[in-house]
Structure formats: C-alpha cells, structure tokens
Amino acid sequence: MKIVARDIPPRAAWALEQAGVHPLLARLYAARGVRAHEELDDGLGRLLPPSGLKGIDDAARLLADAMAQNKRLIIVADYDCDGATACAVGVRGLRLLGAHNVDYLVPDRVTDGYGLTPPIARRVAERGADVLITVDNGIASVEGVAEAKALGLQVVVTDHHLPGPALPAADAIVNPNQPGCTFESKSIAGVGVMFYVLLALRAELRARGVFDVPSAAGPPQGASAPLGGSEPHAVGSVGAHKPLQPKLDPLLTLVALGTVADVVRLDANNRRLVAQGLKRIRAGQMPTGVAALFTAAGRKAPAATTFDFGFALGPRINAAGRLADMTLGIECLLTDDAGRAAELAAMLDGINRERREIEGGMRDQAMLMAESLFQEDEEPPPAISVFDPDFHEGVVGIVASRIKDKLHRPTFVFAASSAPGKEHELKGSGRSIPGFHLRDALDLVAKRHPGVLLKFGGHAMAAGCTVAEEAFEVFERALAQVAQEWLDASTLTRRIETDGPLAPEYCRADMVDTLHREVWGQGFAPPTFSEEVQVLSQRLVGEAKNHLSLKLMHQGSPVDAIWFGHTEQLPARVLLAFRLDVNEWKGERKVQFLVEGAQL
C-alpha cells in the first residue's frame, strides 16, 4: 500500500480562502479541482439547463401529448436504489404535473433480469399502457423496445448507462451518454435524468398554456429559475381556472438519495443536486417514506449527510431488490401515509439485516476462494473470478466489492441463476480498481471468446454479465488475460490519496461537523488525512475481535482511533491514512480517527 498526498494548488486554495471559504475547506476543495468560489455555489440557478440533453424535447412533447389525451403511462424501473428513486420521482412528478393515469412496474432481479425485456414489454401492454417510460435502464434494451413498439406502445427511454453498438428504436431517448449528446454531466444518475425530463415536460406544458404562471413565480424559462413555481391546484373541469405551475424541488430529496446511492461521480452538477436534497431533508422537508427510513436506520434527519444516503438509507432500499421485491422500496418512497411508511421502512430494515447475514457468510467463503488462487507470499492474480453454487445472486455485487477492497484487484463474483429454465447460467457482478474499465474489459472478452458472455453491461467501475456454467473457467482466464495486458505494477499497487497532515487546531468536534455537512462522494472524495503518529496502545475489539482499537499520539495530543476489519498489530510509529469522526459517550463528544490504511 502507498499513501500519497494530493496536490493542493496554492493559488486556488488562497483564492478560495480570500473569498471567505474556511482555510481547511479551501485546501480540501482546491485539492479536488475547485478553482473559483463560484464553483461552490449550489443554488438551483447554477444547475445545467435541461436543453443540453439530447432527445429531451422529443420526450417532453410526447409526454405532454399523452397527458392531454389522458393516456396510460407506465414506468419500467430498475431494482436498485437509483431505479427506485427514479421511479418514485417519475410517478410523483408526473402526477404533480397533472397526469392522472400513471403506474409503474419493476422487474424481478431473479426471474426477469435487468432492463426492459420483451416479456416485460408484454406485461406493460397487458396492463393497458399507451406509453412506456424506462428509468435507469433501456439504453441497451433493443429487443424489449422493439417488442413494445410492435405492441403499439410509445416508448420513452431515460437512462444513464453506456449504450451498446445499437440504440433501441424508441420514440425518444434521453441519456447523456448516447452519441451526439452534449450535456456536460455525463455522470448524472438515472434519477437525475428523470428529474430533468420532468423539468423539460413542465416547460413544455407551460408553453402550451396549461399552467397559470404568476409573475411572482419568477422567470418562466432558463437555467436561472429551473424549479420556480407554486403548488398546484386541483385540475378542474373545462372552463375552470388553470392550475398554478407546480414546484418540482420537493423531488430533490429523492434525486439526492439516488445519486449518492448509485455511486456516480459527484461532478459540480451532481453535487448541486445532492446539496439541494440535503438542505431540504435537514429542514424537515422530505417524503414521508424518507423520514421513516431515517428513523428505521437510527439516523438523524436534521444532521443528514451523504454518508446517510450511501450507507444507511440506500442499502435498505437496495436490500428489497436483492432479496425480495423492489416494489416495497418504491412504495415506501411513494406513500404519504406515515403509518404505512413506518411499516414499509421496518420491513426494509429487516430485509437489510437478512442481507447482511447472507453477505457475511458469502463474503467469508468468497474471500477464502479468492485467497486460494495465490500463495501467501505471492501477489494476487491480475483479476479474480469466483463462483459457488450456494452463493445468492442478490448480493454478489456487494461481495465482489469487499474482495476488491481487500485484494485491490478487479473482481467478479458469480451465483447460479434462480430463474426458471436458466439454472445452468451464472450471473456475475464485478467491481473494478482505478485504471481498469470493467465494461470495456467485458467487451474485449466477448470479442475474443464469442458466445462466452450471454449478456453484459455496466460502467468503468461496476459491471454485470451472464455466462453459461460450463464457460466459467474460460471467462476467468480471459478476464485475467485482459487484466494482465492492461494493468501494470503501479496500477496494481493500492494507493490511498490523502489531504496530507491535519493541523492540530482542526482536530475538534465542531470542525468534524463542518466537514460532514459538505457534499462528498465518488469523484469528490471525503477528507482523508495522513501523517506519522505514535501508537500508544492497541487491542482487538468487537464480538469477532476483528477491529483494531488504537490510542495514538497526534502532534503532541492523544487521540482515539479505530481500524474496522483490521486485526494485524501496528509498529510503535507508523504512517496512517485516516478520516475524522466524532465519538459521543455520556454527553461528551470527542474526535476519533477512522483508519483507512497504513504504509509500513
């Protein structure tokens, strides 16, 4: 392991500090590429305009026409948190804008698989739909869209995944990663794409004179006021007053949750979306189900952070799609009944506990299998693939992530498919390391070994695929070969980027609170510091004695620290990488270090 301090451009840090940014935050922001104070403006007026998304005007016109004709709209969602929040945003948003006939359908991970398949298209048609809208999927669903069109449905694809060699023949496609799209935020999540479609739809309805837009609502168009408006009145009969233009900003809590939970890169636009959602949650403005999830997770909404989205709420929603039915998660986000929301949140919490138990056993078994691929004194192979007939396909991605984190290798974990008639197929989920584009690697495997991959897709850092059971070893060797060619010793060495030493005057609980309130995540890493410290004492704690509790001397002051999941003793002096947290005990709040790694 190598601990490396980020470069901190002094002029950028100085400029931010001169603009009034706290000195520590100025340093952190400058190290993450922020060069001017204006870039930190998270106001709604700074959001990228919807017009930059290719196909969004076509989608808005189609949906506006469908609403005018009271057509039945059905959303086809994905079964992860991004898909669930995107579905909830779509249903809530379309109803806010006046649609009276909106429903949704979410595929089952086991029996249906991912995306809009022909059987899903037929089920949508059987439910009397006129318009099919995909959220967080569809860009690779060439056959599913074709089937929907053959059944007489209009199809709007909203997605953010990378397209395959051919685009589906949908009536409208909104995806920043489709060819020819100039939208700057290529990392926007599926829920963000759906939110932008609603912005464009509202602008289209406004242009058609559907809404009464009083002057107090602000400018009727442009990025400077993308969400302005008033709460809608009920749509009356012919001749009644027009409804006031509805606000869409209440949906930002769901946009923020799905964006962080999907681990997309937090570019400037995504950070603004997340910041806006966090502000509303901290102010108590959130859907009933989101509030219930905070309670079920034992987290405090008034002090909400991106950590809550990624590690508390997100996993509870994801658990429904992994082990049960994502309808539970979506219904929790849609209900306005507090009792029902509490009931659903409790169910999701229980499913998540079951997921953790299954994951724990699988993780241990998969780790043993991965470590058996090399000797103790050897380096791991360049890529790792493991399969066991007893693995649960709902948690293979989480287990792959755990192995990747420990061994620092691109990792795929496979489970036998539980779908009827697919018992001899293996479903795999992969996680990667910086410098190894997982989807591109799968594409090369598919070209070199035609027929081995029955299906694949994904991103640079996470991807999925299906192989025949008898082809597993061929896939294992092929992926390792690509990794051998693409990765070098430098890439295969785990690196922890840090923000360097922490000045002792910042080692305070209130400073930790300030840091936690900011928007951190993928591509805009939470603050991690590093310096050599003296180890005063160390002991193993936890039921399984698998966490290392430490007392350190940091710049002349004692501080407690913990290294979760680490059991090896440290030398008396060591270079540590650590994050900051606050430990509360009997009303006293003390700073503690969360150790991320050590350079021995």
Side-chain angles (χ1 to χ4, degrees), residues 14-94:
W14 179 85
L16 291 171
E17 192 172 341
Q18 291 300 303
V21 178
H22 186 283
L24 179 56
L25 285 173
R27 172 181 145 196
L28 297 173
Y29 287 141
R32 287 155 181 76
V34 177
R35 295 293 176 265
H37 186 256
E38 295 74 34
E39 296 176 49
L40 299 175
D41 182 358
D42 60 14
L44 295 174
R46 296 281 294 180
L47 287 175
L48 294 173
S51 57
L53 278 162
K54 179 181 178 182
I56 200 165
D57 291 336
D58 293 335
R61 284 191 292 268
L62 187 154
L63 293 174
D65 289 343
M67 289 168 58
Q69 299 167 41
N70 199 29
K71 289 185 175 180
R72 183 166 174 75
L73 314 174
I74 290 187
I75 295 172
V76 174
D78 186 23
Y79 39 68
D80 67 358
C81 187
D82 186 18
T85 52
C87 182
V89 163
V91 172
R92 283 183 173 274
L94 287 168

Coordinates of all heavy atoms in Angstrom, one line a residue, residues 14-94:
W14 N -5.6 29.7 -2.0 CA -5.6 31.1 -1.5 C -6.8 31.9 -2.0 O -7.4 32.6 -1.2 CB -4.3 31.8 -2.0 CG -4.1 33.2 -1.5 CD1 -3.7 33.7 -0.4 CD2 -4.5 34.3 -2.3 NE1 -3.7 35.0 -0.3 CE2 -4.2 35.5 -1.5 CE3 -5.1 34.5 -3.6 CZ2 -4.5 36.8 -1.9 CZ3 -5.3 35.8 -4.0 CH2 -5.0 36.9 -3.2
A15 N -7.1 31.7 -3.3 CA -8.3 32.4 -3.8 C -9.6 32.1 -3.1 O -10.4 32.9 -2.8 CB -8.4 32.1 -5.3
L16 N -9.7 30.8 -2.8 CA -11.0 30.3 -2.1 C -11.0 30.9 -0.7 O -12.0 31.4 -0.2 CB -11.0 28.8 -2.1 CG -11.3 28.1 -3.4 CD1 -11.1 26.6 -3.3 CD2 -12.6 28.4 -3.9
E17 N -9.8 30.9 0.0 CA -9.8 31.4 1.3 C -10.1 32.9 1.3 O -10.8 33.4 2.2 CB -8.4 31.1 1.9 CG -8.3 31.4 3.4 CD -7.0 30.9 4.0 OE1 -6.3 30.1 3.4 OE2 -6.7 31.4 5.1
Q18 N -9.5 33.7 0.3 CA -9.8 35.1 0.2 C -11.3 35.4 0.0 O -11.8 36.5 0.3 CB -8.9 35.7 -0.9 CG -7.5 35.7 -0.6 CD -7.2 36.5 0.7 OE1 -7.5 37.7 0.8 NE2 -6.5 35.9 1.7
A19 N -12.0 34.4 -0.7 CA -13.4 34.6 -0.9 C -14.3 34.2 0.3 O -15.5 34.3 0.2 CB -13.8 33.7 -2.1
G20 N -13.6 33.9 1.4 CA -14.4 33.6 2.6 C -14.6 32.2 3.0 O -15.3 31.8 3.9
V21 N -14.0 31.3 2.2 CA -14.1 29.8 2.5 C -13.1 29.5 3.7 O -12.0 30.0 3.8 CB -13.7 29.0 1.3 CG1 -13.7 27.5 1.6 CG2 -14.6 29.3 0.1
H22 N -13.6 28.7 4.6 CA -12.8 28.3 5.7 C -11.4 27.7 5.2 O -11.4 27.0 4.2 CB -13.5 27.2 6.5 CG -12.8 26.8 7.8 ND1 -11.7 26.0 7.8 CD2 -13.0 27.1 9.1 CE1 -11.3 25.8 9.1 NE2 -12.1 26.5 9.9
P23 N -10.3 28.1 5.9 CA -9.0 27.7 5.4 C -8.9 26.2 5.1 O -8.3 25.8 4.1 CB -8.0 28.1 6.5 CG -8.7 29.3 7.1 CD -10.2 28.9 7.0
L24 N -9.4 25.3 6.0 CA -9.3 23.9 5.8 C -10.1 23.5 4.6 O -9.7 22.7 3.7 CB -9.7 23.1 7.0 CG -9.7 21.6 6.9 CD1 -8.3 21.1 6.5 CD2 -10.1 20.9 8.2
L25 N -11.4 24.0 4.5 CA -12.2 23.6 3.3 C -11.6 24.2 2.0 O -11.7 23.5 1.0 CB -13.6 24.2 3.5 CG -14.5 23.5 4.5 CD1 -15.8 24.3 4.8 CD2 -14.8 22.1 4.1
A26 N -11.0 25.3 2.1 CA -10.3 25.9 0.9 C -9.3 24.9 0.4 O -9.1 24.7 -0.8 CB -9.7 27.3 1.2
R27 N -8.5 24.4 1.3 CA -7.4 23.4 0.9 C -8.0 22.2 0.3 O -7.6 21.6 -0.7 CB -6.6 23.2 2.2 CG -5.6 22.1 2.0 CD -4.9 21.9 3.4 NE -4.6 20.5 3.6 CZ -4.2 20.0 4.8 NH1 -4.2 20.8 5.9 NH2 -3.9 18.7 4.9
L28 N -9.1 21.7 1.0 CA -9.7 20.4 0.5 C -10.4 20.6 -0.9 O -10.2 19.8 -1.8 CB -10.8 20.0 1.5 CG -10.3 19.6 2.9 CD1 -11.5 19.3 3.8 CD2 -9.4 18.4 2.9
Y29 N -11.1 21.7 -1.1 CA -11.7 22.0 -2.4 C -10.7 22.2 -3.5 O -10.8 21.6 -4.6 CB -12.6 23.2 -2.3 CG -13.8 23.1 -1.5 CD1 -14.3 24.1 -0.7 CD2 -14.6 21.9 -1.6 CE1 -15.5 23.9 0.0 CE2 -15.8 21.7 -0.9 CZ -16.2 22.8 -0.1 OH -17.4 22.6 0.6
A30 N -9.6 22.9 -3.2 CA -8.6 23.1 -4.2 C -8.0 21.8 -4.6 O -7.7 21.6 -5.8 CB -7.5 24.1 -3.7
A31 N -7.8 20.9 -3.7 CA -7.2 19.6 -4.0 C -8.1 18.7 -4.9 O -7.7 17.8 -5.5 CB -6.8 18.8 -2.7
R32 N -9.4 19.1 -4.9 CA -10.4 18.3 -5.7 C -10.8 19.1 -7.0 O -11.8 18.7 -7.6 CB -11.6 18.0 -4.8 CG -11.3 17.0 -3.8 CD -12.2 17.0 -2.6 NE -11.9 16.0 -1.6 CZ -10.8 16.0 -0.8 NH1 -10.0 17.1 -0.8 NH2 -10.6 15.0 0.0
G33 N -10.0 20.0 -7.3 CA -10.2 20.7 -8.6 C -11.0 21.9 -8.6 O -11.2 22.5 -9.7
V34 N -11.5 22.4 -7.5 CA -12.2 23.6 -7.4 C -11.3 24.8 -7.5 O -10.3 24.9 -6.8 CB -13.0 23.7 -6.1 CG1 -13.8 25.1 -6.1 CG2 -14.0 22.6 -6.1
R35 N -11.5 25.7 -8.5 CA -10.6 26.8 -8.7 C -11.2 28.2 -8.3 O -10.4 29.1 -8.2 CB -10.2 26.8 -10.2 CG -9.3 25.6 -10.6 CD -8.0 25.6 -9.9 NE -7.2 24.4 -10.2 CZ -7.2 23.3 -9.4 NH1 -7.9 23.3 -8.3 NH2 -6.5 22.3 -9.7
A36 N -12.5 28.3 -8.3 CA -13.1 29.6 -8.0 C -14.3 29.4 -7.1 O -15.0 28.3 -7.1 CB -13.6 30.2 -9.3
H37 N -14.6 30.4 -6.3 CA -15.7 30.4 -5.3 C -17.0 30.1 -6.0 O -17.9 29.5 -5.4 CB -15.7 31.7 -4.5 CG -16.7 31.7 -3.4 ND1 -17.9 32.3 -3.5 CD2 -16.6 31.0 -2.2 CE1 -18.5 32.1 -2.3 NE2 -17.8 31.4 -1.5
E38 N -17.2 30.6 -7.2 CA -18.4 30.4 -7.9 C -18.8 28.9 -8.1 O -19.9 28.5 -8.2 CB -18.4 31.1 -9.3 CG -18.3 32.6 -9.2 CD -16.9 33.1 -8.9 OE1 -15.9 32.4 -9.3 OE2 -16.7 34.1 -8.2
E39 N -17.8 28.1 -8.2 CA -18.0 26.7 -8.4 C -18.6 26.0 -7.2 O -19.2 24.9 -7.3 CB -16.7 26.0 -8.7 CG -16.0 26.4 -10.0 CD -14.6 25.7 -10.2 OE1 -14.6 24.5 -10.1 OE2 -13.7 26.4 -10.5
L40 N -18.6 26.7 -6.0 CA -19.2 26.1 -4.8 C -20.6 26.6 -4.6 O -21.3 26.2 -3.7 CB -18.3 26.6 -3.6 CG -16.9 26.1 -3.6 CD1 -16.1 26.7 -2.4 CD2 -16.8 24.6 -3.6
D41 N -21.1 27.4 -5.5 CA -22.5 27.9 -5.5 C -23.4 26.7 -5.8 O -23.4 26.2 -6.9 CB -22.7 29.0 -6.5 CG -24.1 29.6 -6.4 OD1 -24.9 29.1 -5.7 OD2 -24.4 30.5 -7.2
D42 N -24.2 26.3 -4.8 CA -25.1 25.1 -5.1 C -26.5 25.5 -5.3 O -27.4 24.7 -5.1 CB -25.0 24.1 -3.9 CG -25.4 24.7 -2.6 OD1 -26.0 25.8 -2.5 OD2 -25.1 24.1 -1.5
G43 N -26.7 26.8 -5.7 CA -28.0 27.3 -5.9 C -28.7 26.6 -7.1 O -28.0 26.2 -8.0
L44 N -30.0 26.6 -7.1 CA -30.7 26.0 -8.2 C -30.4 26.6 -9.6 O -30.5 26.0 -10.6 CB -32.2 26.0 -7.9 CG -32.7 25.2 -6.7 CD1 -34.2 25.5 -6.5 CD2 -32.5 23.7 -6.9
G45 N -30.2 27.9 -9.5 CA -29.9 28.6 -10.7 C -28.6 28.2 -11.4 O -28.4 28.5 -12.6
R46 N -27.8 27.5 -10.7 CA -26.5 27.0 -11.3 C -26.6 25.7 -11.9 O -25.6 25.2 -12.5 CB -25.4 27.0 -10.2 CG -25.1 28.3 -9.6 CD -24.1 29.1 -10.5 NE -22.8 28.5 -10.6 CZ -21.8 28.9 -11.3 NH1 -22.0 30.0 -12.0 NH2 -20.7 28.3 -11.3
L47 N -27.8 25.0 -11.8 CA -27.9 23.7 -12.4 C -27.8 23.8 -14.0 O -28.3 24.8 -14.5 CB -29.3 23.1 -12.1 CG -29.5 22.6 -10.7 CD1 -30.9 22.1 -10.5 CD2 -28.5 21.4 -10.4
L48 N -27.3 22.8 -14.6 CA -27.2 22.8 -16.0 C -28.7 22.8 -16.6 O -29.5 22.2 -16.0 CB -26.5 21.5 -16.5 CG -25.0 21.4 -16.2 CD1 -24.5 20.0 -16.6 CD2 -24.2 22.5 -16.9
P49 N -28.9 23.5 -17.7 CA -30.3 23.6 -18.2 C -30.6 22.2 -18.9 O -29.8 21.6 -19.5 CB -30.2 24.7 -19.3 CG -28.7 24.8 -19.7 CD -28.0 24.4 -18.4
P50 N -31.9 21.9 -18.8 CA -32.4 20.6 -19.5 C -32.1 20.6 -21.0 O -32.0 19.5 -21.6 CB -33.9 20.6 -19.2 CG -34.0 21.5 -18.0 CD -33.0 22.5 -18.1
S51 N -32.1 21.7 -21.6 CA -31.9 21.8 -23.1 C -30.7 21.1 -23.6 O -30.6 20.7 -24.8 CB -32.0 23.2 -23.6 OG -30.9 24.0 -22.9
G52 N -29.7 20.9 -22.7 CA -28.5 20.3 -23.1 C -28.6 18.8 -23.4 O -27.7 18.2 -23.9
L53 N -29.7 18.2 -22.9 CA -29.9 16.7 -23.0 C -30.5 16.4 -24.4 O -31.6 16.8 -24.7 CB -30.7 16.2 -21.9 CG -30.0 15.9 -20.6 CD1 -31.0 15.8 -19.4 CD2 -29.2 14.6 -20.7
K54 N -29.8 15.7 -25.2 CA -30.3 15.3 -26.5 C -31.6 14.4 -26.3 O -31.7 13.6 -25.4 CB -29.3 14.4 -27.2 CG -29.7 13.9 -28.6 CD -28.6 13.1 -29.3 CE -29.1 12.5 -30.6 NZ -28.0 11.7 -31.2
G55 N -32.6 14.7 -27.1 CA -33.9 14.0 -27.0 C -34.9 14.4 -26.0 O -36.0 13.9 -26.0
I56 N -34.5 15.4 -25.1 CA -35.4 15.7 -24.0 C -36.6 16.5 -24.5 O -37.7 16.3 -24.0 CB -34.6 16.5 -22.9 CG1 -35.4 16.4 -21.6 CG2 -34.4 17.9 -23.3 CD1 -34.6 16.8 -20.4
D57 N -36.5 17.3 -25.6 CA -37.6 18.0 -26.1 C -38.6 17.0 -26.7 O -39.8 17.2 -26.6 CB -37.2 19.0 -27.1 CG -36.4 20.2 -26.5 OD1 -36.6 20.4 -25.3 OD2 -35.6 20.8 -27.2
D58 N -38.1 16.0 -27.4 CA -39.0 15.0 -28.0 C -39.8 14.3 -26.9 O -41.0 14.0 -27.0 CB -38.2 14.0 -28.8 CG -37.6 14.6 -30.1 OD1 -38.1 15.6 -30.6 OD2 -36.5 14.0 -30.5
A59 N -39.0 13.9 -25.8 CA -39.7 13.2 -24.7 C -40.7 14.1 -24.1 O -41.9 13.7 -23.7 CB -38.6 12.8 -23.7
A60 N -40.4 15.4 -23.9 CA -41.4 16.3 -23.3 C -42.7 16.5 -24.1 O -43.8 16.5 -23.6 CB -40.7 17.7 -23.0
R61 N -42.5 16.6 -25.4 CA -43.6 16.8 -26.3 C -44.5 15.5 -26.3 O -45.7 15.6 -26.2 CB -43.2 17.1 -27.7 CG -42.7 18.5 -27.9 CD -42.6 18.9 -29.4 NE -41.4 18.2 -30.0 CZ -40.2 18.7 -30.0 NH1 -39.9 19.8 -29.5 NH2 -39.2 18.0 -30.6
L62 N -43.8 14.3 -26.3 CA -44.6 13.1 -26.4 C -45.4 12.9 -25.1 O -46.6 12.6 -25.1 CB -43.6 11.9 -26.5 CG -44.2 10.5 -26.7 CD1 -43.2 9.6 -27.5 CD2 -44.6 9.8 -25.4
L63 N -44.8 13.2 -23.9 CA -45.5 13.1 -22.7 C -46.6 14.1 -22.5 O -47.6 13.8 -22.0 CB -44.5 13.2 -21.5 CG -43.4 12.0 -21.4 CD1 -42.4 12.3 -20.3 CD2 -44.1 10.7 -21.1
A64 N -46.3 15.3 -23.0 CA -47.4 16.3 -22.9 C -48.6 16.0 -23.7 O -49.7 16.1 -23.3 CB -46.8 17.7 -23.4
D65 N -48.3 15.4 -24.9 CA -49.4 15.0 -25.8 C -50.2 13.8 -25.1 O -51.4 13.8 -25.1 CB -48.9 14.5 -27.1 CG -48.4 15.6 -28.0 OD1 -48.7 16.7 -27.8 OD2 -47.6 15.3 -29.0
A66 N -49.4 12.9 -24.5 CA -50.1 11.8 -23.8 C -50.9 12.2 -22.7 O -52.1 11.7 -22.5 CB -49.0 10.8 -23.4
M67 N -50.5 13.2 -21.9 CA -51.2 13.7 -20.8 C -52.5 14.4 -21.3 O -53.6 14.3 -20.7 CB -50.4 14.6 -19.9 CG -49.3 13.9 -19.1 SD -48.1 15.0 -18.4 CE -49.1 16.1 -17.4
A68 N -52.4 15.1 -22.4 CA -53.5 15.8 -22.9 C -54.6 14.9 -23.4 O -55.8 15.2 -23.3 CB -53.1 16.7 -24.1
Q69 N -54.2 13.7 -23.8 CA -55.2 12.7 -24.2 C -55.5 11.6 -23.1 O -56.1 10.6 -23.4 CB -54.6 11.9 -25.5 CG -54.3 12.9 -26.6 CD -53.5 12.2 -27.7 OE1 -53.6 11.1 -28.0 NE2 -52.5 13.0 -28.3
N70 N -55.0 11.9 -21.9 CA -55.2 11.0 -20.8 C -54.8 9.6 -21.1 O -55.5 8.6 -20.7 CB -56.7 11.1 -20.3 CG -56.9 10.6 -18.9 OD1 -56.0 10.7 -18.1 ND2 -58.0 10.0 -18.6
K71 N -53.7 9.5 -21.7 CA -53.2 8.1 -22.0 C -52.6 7.5 -20.7 O -52.2 8.2 -19.8 CB -52.1 8.2 -23.1 CG -52.6 8.5 -24.5 CD -51.5 8.4 -25.5 CE -52.0 8.6 -26.9 NZ -51.0 8.5 -27.9
R72 N -52.5 6.2 -20.7 CA -52.0 5.5 -19.5 C -50.5 5.4 -19.6 O -49.9 4.9 -20.6 CB -52.6 4.1 -19.4 CG -52.2 3.3 -18.2 CD -53.1 2.1 -18.0 NE -52.6 1.2 -16.9 CZ -52.7 1.5 -15.6 NH1 -53.3 2.6 -15.2 NH2 -52.3 0.6 -14.7
L73 N -49.8 5.9 -18.6 CA -48.3 5.9 -18.6 C -47.8 4.9 -17.6 O -48.3 4.9 -16.5 CB -47.8 7.3 -18.2 CG -48.4 8.5 -18.9 CD1 -47.9 9.8 -18.3 CD2 -48.1 8.5 -20.4
I74 N -46.9 4.0 -18.0 CA -46.3 3.0 -17.1 C -44.8 3.2 -17.1 O -44.2 3.1 -18.2 CB -46.8 1.6 -17.4 CG1 -48.3 1.4 -17.1 CG2 -45.9 0.6 -16.6 CD1 -48.8 0.0 -17.2
I75 N -44.2 3.3 -15.9 CA -42.8 3.4 -15.8 C -42.2 2.0 -15.5 O -42.7 1.3 -14.7 CB -42.4 4.4 -14.7 CG1 -42.9 5.8 -15.0 CG2 -40.9 4.3 -14.4 CD1 -42.7 6.8 -13.8
V76 N -41.2 1.7 -16.3 CA -40.4 0.4 -16.0 C -39.1 0.8 -15.3 O -38.3 1.5 -15.9 CB -40.1 -0.4 -17.3 CG1 -39.3 -1.6 -17.0 CG2 -41.5 -0.8 -18.0
A77 N -39.0 0.4 -14.1 CA -37.9 0.8 -13.2 C -36.8 -0.3 -13.2 O -36.9 -1.4 -13.7 CB -38.4 1.1 -11.8
D78 N -35.7 0.1 -12.5 CA -34.7 -0.9 -12.2 C -34.8 -1.2 -10.7 O -35.5 -0.6 -10.0 CB -33.3 -0.3 -12.5 CG -32.1 -1.3 -12.3 OD1 -32.4 -2.5 -12.4 OD2 -31.0 -0.9 -12.0
Y79 N -34.1 -2.3 -10.3 CA -34.4 -2.8 -9.0 C -33.2 -2.4 -8.0 O -33.0 -3.1 -7.0 CB -34.5 -4.4 -9.0 CG -33.6 -5.1 -9.9 CD1 -32.2 -5.2 -9.7 CD2 -34.2 -5.8 -11.0 CE1 -31.4 -5.8 -10.6 CE2 -33.3 -6.4 -11.9 CZ -32.0 -6.5 -11.7 OH -31.2 -7.2 -12.6
D80 N -32.6 -1.3 -8.3 CA -31.6 -0.8 -7.3 C -32.1 0.6 -6.8 O -33.2 1.0 -7.2 CB -30.2 -0.7 -7.8 CG -30.1 0.4 -8.9 OD1 -31.1 1.0 -9.3 OD2 -29.0 0.6 -9.4
C81 N -31.4 1.2 -5.9 CA -31.9 2.5 -5.3 C -32.0 3.6 -6.3 O -32.9 4.4 -6.2 CB -30.9 2.9 -4.1 SG -31.5 4.3 -3.2
D82 N -31.1 3.6 -7.3 CA -31.2 4.6 -8.3 C -32.5 4.4 -9.1 O -33.3 5.3 -9.3 CB -30.0 4.6 -9.2 CG -30.0 5.7 -10.3 OD1 -30.7 6.7 -10.1 OD2 -29.3 5.6 -11.3
G83 N -32.8 3.2 -9.4 CA -34.0 2.9 -10.2 C -35.3 3.1 -9.4 O -36.3 3.6 -9.9
A84 N -35.2 2.8 -8.1 CA -36.4 3.0 -7.2 C -36.7 4.5 -7.0 O -37.8 4.9 -7.1 CB -36.1 2.3 -5.8
T85 N -35.6 5.3 -6.8 CA -35.8 6.7 -6.6 C -36.3 7.4 -7.9 O -37.1 8.3 -7.9 CB -34.6 7.4 -6.0 OG1 -33.4 7.1 -6.9 CG2 -34.3 7.0 -4.6
A86 N -35.7 6.9 -9.0 CA -36.1 7.4 -10.3 C -37.5 7.1 -10.6 O -38.3 8.0 -11.1 CB -35.2 6.8 -11.4
C87 N -38.0 5.9 -10.2 CA -39.4 5.6 -10.4 C -40.3 6.5 -9.6 O -41.3 7.0 -10.0 CB -39.6 4.1 -10.1 SG -41.3 3.5 -10.3
A88 N -39.9 6.6 -8.3 CA -40.7 7.5 -7.4 C -40.7 8.9 -7.9 O -41.8 9.6 -7.8 CB -40.1 7.4 -6.0
V89 N -39.6 9.4 -8.4 CA -39.6 10.8 -8.9 C -40.5 10.9 -10.1 O -41.2 11.8 -10.3 CB -38.1 11.2 -9.3 CG1 -38.1 12.4 -10.2 CG2 -37.3 11.5 -8.0
G90 N -40.4 9.8 -11.0 CA -41.3 9.9 -12.2 C -42.8 9.8 -11.8 O -43.5 10.6 -12.4
V91 N -43.2 9.0 -10.9 CA -44.6 8.8 -10.6 C -45.0 10.1 -9.9 O -46.1 10.7 -10.2 CB -44.8 7.6 -9.7 CG1 -46.3 7.6 -9.1 CG2 -44.6 6.3 -10.5
R92 N -44.3 10.6 -8.9 CA -44.7 11.8 -8.2 C -44.7 13.0 -9.1 O -45.6 13.8 -9.1 CB -43.7 12.0 -7.0 CG -44.0 11.1 -5.8 CD -43.0 11.5 -4.6 NE -43.3 10.8 -3.4 CZ -44.2 11.2 -2.5 NH1 -44.9 12.3 -2.7 NH2 -44.4 10.5 -1.4
G93 N -43.6 13.1 -9.9 CA -43.5 14.3 -10.8 C -44.6 14.3 -11.8 O -45.2 15.4 -12.1
L94 N -44.9 13.2 -12.5 CA -45.9 13.2 -13.5 C -47.3 13.6 -12.9 O -48.1 14.3 -13.5 CB -46.0 11.9 -14.2 CG -44.8 11.6 -15.1 CD1 -44.7 10.1 -15.5 CD2 -44.9 12.5 -16.4

